Amino acid sequence: MREALRRVGVAFAGYPRRAVLDGCPHCRGQVSVADHDLFSLALSLGGTVGTDADLKSLLPLLLERLVTGDELDADTVLGKLTLAGGWQTWPAGERDALRGYLDTVWRSILSRYPARCGGLRDASSFLIAARPLHEGVGRYLRIWDATPGAAPDRHLADLVIDWVGGSGIPDDAVAWARRPAVRDRLYAAVVRDLDAPWSGRLAQAYDFLAAL
């Protein structure tokens, strides 16, 4: 994670941070960065506050605090990547750094349970927040397919239960979860962790898929 954040910092180092940002002249006026907490600034940055350059200058800080603290909202922070023409149109170095960051965050989430990744609580919240950044979340699902172990399996159970509970899981993630291979993976996890405290949740998710 440290290397991914370093690369983001290098990629956006050419955008100097300003102490005072221009706000909407009709509703905000000038905004002092020091006078605002990062959460409130993130809500308006790139919209009613700041230019595209200001947004990019603060992205390294926002992306770092998203995974190291709990004051920022994933939908808000990752949503900033859809501004300024959308990150897929940004220079190659910026795109590569952001892609590396997103992949690293995703792998970090899957690697442990609970995720312990700042404002990104679990796999479901990451996929929901990342969905507007891509045509689909297949990139992350392929990584999940290739990541065995108890932690990713427990996240998988949560994803299925979140979907059944109506949590807004992306459609392609739902289609992926409904595949026989995922159902079989959950069954194997139930057998493997039969005596574990979390076996009941694995079994619940498997039962949901088996009933489809």
Side-chain angles (χ1 to χ4, degrees):
M1 185 69 74
R2 185 180 298 110
E3 174 60 18
L5 290 170
R6 186 195 69 78
R7 291 187 62 203
V8 168
V10 170
F12 293 93
Y15 303 96
R17 293 183 187 176
R18 297 194 298 158
V20 178
L21 307 181
D22 298 322
C24 170
H26 304 292
C27 59
R28 300 296 297 269
Q30 290 192 319
V31 174
S32 169
V33 174
D35 292 339
H36 287 72
D37 63 89
L38 201 55
F39 176 80
S40 62
L41 185 63
L43 289 175
S44 52
L45 184 64
T48 59
V49 172
T51 64
D52 291 349
D54 292 323
L55 167 63
K56 290 187 174 185
S57 76
L58 287 166
L59 262 182
L61 175 62
L62 293 175
L63 294 176
E64 177 182 3
R65 295 288 282 276
L66 176 61
V67 296
T68 59
D70 59 5
E71 76 269 40
L72 294 179
D73 172 72
D75 292 336
T76 298
V77 174
L78 296 187
K80 298 304 172 184
L81 304 184
T82 66
L83 304 179
W87 74 286
Q88 300 281 15
T89 68
W90 296 359
E94 297 173 10
R95 297 198 308 270
D96 289 345
L98 290 171
R99 191 176 294 112
Y101 168 85
L102 292 168
D103 285 354
T104 300
V105 170
W106 178 238
R107 293 180 189 277
S108 177
I109 289 171
L110 293 181
S111 70
R112 63 178 73 181
Y113 190 100
R116 301 193 194 99
C117 196
L120 288 158
R121 303 177 305 278
D122 50 38
S124 296
S125 62
F126 177 90
L127 293 177
I128 292 170
R131 175 63 186 88
L133 309 183
H134 309 278
E135 292 184 0
V137 294
R139 177 186 189 89
Y140 306 114
L141 301 177
R142 288 189 291 274
I143 292 174
W144 206 341
D145 272 331
T147 307
D153 290 346
R154 294 178 70 184
H155 284 297
L156 178 55
D158 286 351
L159 178 84
V160 172
I161 293 169
D162 288 345
W163 161 53
V164 173
S167 294
I169 304 300
D171 290 343
D172 48 345
V174 171
W176 171 85
R178 296 182 66 171
R179 295 177 307 151
V182 171
R183 183 189 63 219
D184 292 346
R185 176 173 178 167
L186 274 176
Y187 179 78
V190 171
V191 173
R192 180 196 64 214
D193 296 344
L194 192 59
D195 296 327
W198 55 84
S199 61
R201 193 162 178 85
L202 292 171
Q204 182 184 14
Y206 170 75
D207 287 343
F208 282 143
L209 293 181
L212 295 176

